[in-house]
Amino acid sequence: MRNDVMSLAEAGEFSDLIREMRWERQVARAARQRAAAARRKAFVRSIPASFALLLQARNRA
């Protein structure tokens, strides 16, 4: 049972590992949010162009 308790060095190493994993998760989340924002921005920019194409097609018909 005594081996179940971490030493101070092991606890520090474990804490560092958890902190690093959380940091990586935050970085990945921020990257996903930036990608989603870029997709939304591209979609919004494409709306006028799509509308113009629809108008051209309508005027040709």
Side-chain angles (χ1 to χ4, degrees), residues 19-34:
R19 188 177 299 116
E20 187 176 322
M21 288 171 58
R22 286 181 179 155
W23 175 252
E24 289 171 357
R25 205 170 21 188
Q26 274 185 306
V27 169
R29 183 177 182 204
R32 285 194 308 272
Q33 287 176 338
R34 282 193 303 273

Side-chain angles (χ1 to χ4, degrees):
M1 277 302 219
R2 196 156 170 75
N3 291 334
D4 290 344
V5 178
M6 284 189 221
S7 71
L8 193 56
E10 289 173 326
E13 191 176 321
F14 183 74
S15 177
D16 290 345
L17 178 65
I18 297 298
R19 188 177 299 116
E20 187 176 322
M21 288 171 58
R22 286 181 179 155
W23 175 252
E24 289 171 357
R25 205 170 21 188
Q26 274 185 306
V27 169
R29 183 177 182 204
R32 285 194 308 272
Q33 287 176 338
R34 282 193 303 273
R39 284 193 304 271
R40 279 192 302 272
K41 189 175 179 181
F43 174 73
V44 169
R45 278 193 312 238
S46 73
I47 291 173
S50 299
F51 187 65
L53 286 174
L54 285 174
L55 282 178
Q56 285 176 354
R58 185 174 156 222
N59 289 339
R60 288 181 186 162

